[in-house]
């Protein structure tokens, strides 16, 4: 395993980091790996629940077939996440929002650890495990403070489901479009802890690059995006991102 060292941060990357005004960061499960959240694919062990692979229990079909089972799985994950804390990668990214005049944080993660680290206005393209949503009127209910979820929709009394993008579902309108717009305007784009396999989120760095942005990937492993990047920092996000503060 590559150990993270400041030497990896090239002088060009350092200069662009100091000069940038419009910066976008896209994160994936890898940014939370050092907090103890298992990743889905590379680097960590993939989750299985009661014999069901995560992409079965976390699917739109399962909401139709057995919503209580889906809630049991997400209630369990919320219970685990409640005990976990942001790591130095989340903390560095939270600091960056006060460094760059126009800073955008887009995450594929539903764990809320960016917000726990102090990040504001996080674009959550896959939703959040800390919200429930009504299956018919789509009202949303925050569960972040007491993590207790309402039995049914407080507006129309229909069933509630996790407000996350499940397998087999499209992204909710709005979040991705805003992220794509910001990607097309940024000068510097960091892609941190994602396997860059799941679209449309994996398309955001391509939008940034083709709009002229300088692209930096942070990952202990190569991904399909690596060859497309201007610079690749090989190592753990929690060890590499704080190096930019130096
Ligand atoms: N720092 C940086 N990157 C890391 C670290 C770390 N400490 N540990 C692992 N990684 C990298 C892995 O090498 C891998 O490339 O993080 C990536 C995690 O990839 P995935 O598990 O595929 O997660 P992600 O890219 O976020 O998945 C995208 O797929 O399953 C769906 O909806 C789910 O949001 C998720 C989406």
């Amino acid at each position: 395993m590559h150990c993270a060292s400041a030497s990896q941060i090239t002088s060009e990357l350092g200069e662009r980091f100091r000069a940038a005004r419009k910066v976008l960061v896209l994160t994936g499960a890898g940014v939370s790996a050092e907090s103890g959240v298992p990743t889905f694919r590379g680097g960590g062990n993939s989750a299985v629940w009661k014999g069901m692979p995560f992409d079965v229990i976390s699917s739109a079909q399962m909401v139709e077939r057995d919503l209580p089972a889906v809630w049991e799985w997400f209630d369990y994950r919320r219970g685990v996440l409640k005990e976990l804390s942001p790591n130095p990668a989340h903390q560095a990214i939270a600091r960056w929002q006060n460094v760059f005049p126009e800073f955008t944080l887009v995450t594929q993660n539903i764990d809320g650890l960016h917000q726990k680290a102090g990040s504001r206005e996080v674009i959550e393209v896959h939703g959040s495990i800390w919200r429930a949503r009504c299956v018919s009127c789509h009202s949303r209910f925050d569960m972040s403070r007491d993590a207790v979820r309402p039995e049914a929709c407080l507006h129309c009394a229909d069933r509630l489901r996790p407000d996350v993008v499940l397998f087999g579902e499209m992204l909710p309108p709005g979040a991705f479009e805003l992220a794509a717009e910001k990607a097309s305007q940024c000068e510097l784009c960091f892609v941190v802890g994602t396997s860059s396999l799941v679209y449309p989120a994996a398309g955001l760095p391509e939008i940034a690059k083709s709009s002229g942005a300088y692209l930096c990937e942070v990952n202990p492993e190569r991904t399909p995006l690596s060859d497309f990047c201007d610079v690749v920092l090989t190592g753990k996000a929690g060890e590499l991102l704080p190096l930019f503060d130096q």
Side-chain angles (χ1 to χ4, degrees):
M1 173 66 80
H2 244 278
C3 63
S5 69
S7 62
Q8 280 204 68
I9 300 180
T10 60
S11 55
E12 176 170 4
L13 178 56
E15 275 149 33
R16 285 176 181 269
F17 186 86
R18 284 185 292 278
R21 298 183 60 76
K22 299 180 182 177
V23 173
L24 182 137
V25 174
L26 170 67
T27 65
V31 83
S32 295
E34 293 154 84
S35 295
V37 183
T39 60
F40 297 94
R41 300 167 193 88
N45 53 1
S46 50
V48 172
W49 173 256
K50 298 193 172 176
M52 269 185 286
F54 72 85
D55 52 2
V56 172
I57 185 67
S58 303
S59 67
Q61 291 79 0
M62 194 55 89
V63 166
E64 292 312 314
R65 200 181 331 145
D66 190 350
L67 182 53
V70 173
W71 271 123
E72 203 188 349
W73 158 236
F74 280 93
D75 292 348
Y76 161 76
R77 291 176 70 188
R78 274 202 328 280
V80 171
L81 279 172
K82 212 159 176 267
E83 308 307 319
L84 301 181
S85 304
N87 65 60
H90 297 109
Q91 289 148 3
I93 293 168
R95 288 193 294 274
W96 292 2
Q97 68 190 338
N98 306 318
V99 170
F100 301 106
E102 288 183 48
F103 180 77
T104 303
L105 173 57
V106 183
T107 190
Q108 298 168 82
N109 301 345
I110 62 174
D111 59 29
L113 288 175
H114 281 302
Q115 291 91 335
K116 217 171 177 178
S119 285
R120 303 179 300 270
E121 296 165 39
V122 182
I123 302 177
E124 298 173 304
V125 289
H126 293 161
S128 171
I129 201 169
W130 300 104
R131 285 193 306 269
R133 186 176 85 230
C134 175
V135 295
S136 47
C137 74
H138 303 302
S139 299
R140 287 181 162 82
F141 300 91
D142 178 38
M143 299 185 286
S144 57
R145 259 162 286 289
D146 54 18
V148 176
R149 60 183 164 85
E151 277 310 307
C153 176
L154 304 178
H155 304 300
C156 75
D158 203 336
R159 295 159 304 143
L160 296 178
R161 52 157 287 164
D163 186 25
V164 300
V165 177
L166 299 171
F167 286 87
E169 290 186 327
M170 303 289 286
L171 270 56
F176 180 77
E177 290 73 14
L178 175 59
E181 186 199 330
K182 296 291 184 182
S184 70
Q185 296 162 355
C186 73
E187 304 155 308
L188 182 56
C189 175
F190 286 91
V191 184
V192 182
T194 179
S195 55
S196 292
L197 293 171
V198 177
Y199 282 76
L204 291 168
E206 296 160 13
I207 294 171
K209 175 86 177 172
S210 52
S211 311
Y214 192 79
L215 201 52
C216 172
E217 181 179 56
V218 180
N219 197 314
E221 295 176 9
R222 304 247 344 137
T223 72
L225 185 75
S226 304
D227 292 342
F228 195 62
C229 292
D230 296 287
V231 62
V232 173
L233 303 183
T234 305
K236 295 181 175 183
E239 296 172 5
L240 284 163
L241 297 189
L243 296 174
F244 284 88
D245 297 356
Q246 290 172 2

